[in-house]
Amino acid sequence: MIIAVDGPAASGKGTIAAALARHFGLPYLDTGLLYRAVGRAVADHIDAPDIEARAVEAASCIDPDTIDPEALLGADTGVLASRIAVFPGVRAALFAFQHDFARLPAGAVLDGRDIGTTIAPNADAKLFIVADAGVRAERRARQLESRGIVVDRAQMRAEIEARDARDAAAPHGGFRPAADAVLLDTTNLDIEAAIKAAIAQVEAAMVRKAAGPD
Ligand code: C5P
């Protein structure tokens, strides 16, 4: 079973995807980490004229096994990631690893922005997680604070909105839900309720799939 979980920054998709992976016993890949690792690798040159070539080179050298998620958590790293994610060469360099992960014999859960549309268009279940921007900023602030990171809330909101804008104008016309994705709005859901709703949606997708085409 392949499960694609997409959505904007801090929508809860990572927490939901990890919970789905545990629930269904599947390997899990947070694809945002790949973009974050590339953004971090070229952080010192982010405004350089040759940033695109540098980012493509960094993306080609990324070893997913050596990525430390904790080191890439910060909102500043998310902004760096969204700046290098617009380069088609970066996306192409990161494609094969994600594509192969989605085809592991055991199945997989992947979360990101383009899983249901590009990385695993044949996924068995596709969720697109959304939430109000203010709620997303508050959630991300609390997540970072729980790890001892000091957060400026106004700046956090501005960074989330800047990332939304950049992601919406991404190279291929912006990230959109796949036509067959189920939208899950978590604005008014706590994490337990969101996970429960996501599990129910995946189970419903499996039932639809087993029943065959309409
Ligand atoms: O999901 P996360 O917030 O970690 O992603 C960081 C950034 O990486 C996003 O804002 C987006 O620009 C980029 N990204 C992407 N495609 C993905 C995952 C993340 O372009 N599949």
Side-chain angles (χ1 to χ4, degrees):
M1 170 163 54
I2 304 170
I3 305 175
V5 183
D6 289 304
S11 55
K13 65 184 185 309
T15 308
I16 289 172
L20 288 173
R22 277 194 302 277
H23 182 83
F24 292 104
L26 297 168
Y28 165 53
L29 178 65
D30 171 356
T31 65
L33 283 178
L34 304 173
Y35 290 90
R36 284 171 178 260
V38 175
R40 187 44 61 210
V42 297
D44 291 344
H45 307 278
I46 196 68
D47 292 317
D50 62 347
I51 181 59
E52 182 163 0
R54 284 178 184 271
V56 172
E57 171 69 17
S60 320
C61 300
I62 281 292
D63 176 358
D65 292 335
T66 64
I67 291 177
D68 172 11
E70 290 292 315
L72 301 172
L73 263 180
D76 54 334
T77 310
V79 173
L80 287 168
S82 72
R83 290 187 62 180
I84 56 81
V86 299
F87 300 134
V90 168
R91 306 199 74 78
L94 298 179
F95 179 84
F97 177 75
Q98 299 174 80
H99 185 262
D100 291 349
F101 194 97
R103 278 148 195 80
L104 288 174
V109 181
L110 292 87
D111 86 61
R113 300 289 189 291
D114 58 348
I115 308 304
T117 51
T118 306
I119 303 296
N122 61 338
D124 301 293
K126 299 182 186 178
L127 301 181
F128 197 89
I129 315 296
V130 293
D132 170 81
V135 169
R136 288 188 281 129
E138 182 59 27
R139 280 183 192 156
R140 183 51 57 90
R142 289 192 188 165
Q143 182 191 22
L144 295 176
E145 282 168 353
S146 73
R147 289 172 158 88
I149 299 169
V150 177
V151 178
D152 174 333
R153 284 193 159 46
Q155 190 188 343
M156 173 63 66
R157 171 91 188 233
E159 281 173 350
I160 293 261
E161 287 176 351
R163 268 217 281 161
D164 282 356
R166 202 173 290 117
D167 287 348
H172 24 74
F175 299 119
R176 314 218 175 288
D180 52 349
V182 174
L183 229 65
L184 178 56
D185 187 339
T186 66
T187 303
N188 297 310
L189 299 181
D190 64 20
I191 193 58
E192 285 78 22
I195 290 169
K196 208 169 154 198
I199 291 172
Q201 291 296 356
V202 170
E203 284 171 349
M206 300 313 292
V207 169
R208 282 196 298 276
K209 200 176 162 76
D214 301 331

